Amino acid sequence: MNVRELLQSKKETVITIDTHDTIGAAAHKMSANRIAALVVLNDDAPVGIISEKDIVRALADDGPQAGRRVISSLPSMGLEGIAPEASLKQAMSLMTYSRRRHLMVTEGGRLVGILSLGDIVKNLLGELELEKAVLQDIYMAAH
């Protein structure tokens, strides 16, 4: 399975925020939508991801006034993306080495979706359940 196929199975809309919005606005948007990350846009072009981890770091550095800072001021703001044709193994490697739990999926500079570590784990668990069921059926047929 590749990234595009996994995104098609999710069928969720991507929640975004602008680089000029505040960290506090991002926290409220994440809480309201019960999500852990937002894709950050600048003039409707994806430029990065802000996650709960980024917000916690900002609070640790600046205290409560961190909520008034603009998102573009975060030091970790950067493009963490992957192509839809990439394999899930490539996505897992990129997440591991960049120490991120979320990746933007972009195609030709256009946002296609967002992929989380949880999405990948859920997919792998589904594959293992299917494999288990097939092996059980084979065993039962043989005995």
Side-chain angles (χ1 to χ4, degrees):
M1 178 176 276
N2 67 18
V3 171
R4 184 185 308 276
E5 292 166 338
L6 182 57
L7 286 178
Q8 288 171 342
S9 70
K10 284 177 54 168
K11 304 227 190 265
E12 295 175 3
T13 59
V14 179
I15 310 296
T16 63
I17 196 158
D18 191 82
T19 56
H20 303 296
D21 285 327
T22 64
I23 294 170
H28 287 289
K29 201 172 229 189
M30 284 182 209
S31 178
N33 289 285
R34 304 179 86 101
I35 55 176
L38 300 167
V39 173
V40 181
L41 302 177
N42 188 13
D43 295 329
D44 293 327
V47 294
I49 290 179
I50 182 171
S51 69
E52 292 170 325
K53 185 166 69 171
D54 298 318
I55 293 171
V56 168
R57 282 190 181 139
L59 285 169
D61 292 344
D62 298 335
Q65 63 270 21
R68 292 189 293 275
R69 284 178 47 201
V70 293
I71 293 169
S72 60
S73 71
L74 290 172
S76 66
M77 265 300 300
L79 194 62
E80 292 288 346
I82 194 162
E85 289 74 30
S87 69
L88 293 185
K89 185 175 182 178
Q90 289 171 313
M92 287 186 291
S93 292
L94 182 56
M95 286 178 176
T96 299
Y97 293 115
S98 66
R99 301 184 60 82
R100 299 293 247 164
R101 294 182 203 131
H102 300 86
L103 295 173
M104 289 185 302
V105 182
T106 56
E107 188 170 39
R110 186 179 60 85
L111 181 64
V112 177
I114 187 170
L115 184 67
S116 73
L117 187 57
D119 296 332
I120 294 172
V121 169
K122 182 179 176 184
N123 178 70
L124 290 174
L125 286 174
E127 288 178 1
L128 287 173
E129 285 295 320
L130 179 61
E131 186 176 324
K132 175 185 166 194
V134 168
L135 290 173
Q136 283 176 331
D137 288 347
I138 291 170
Y139 177 80
M140 295 303 284
H143 291 84

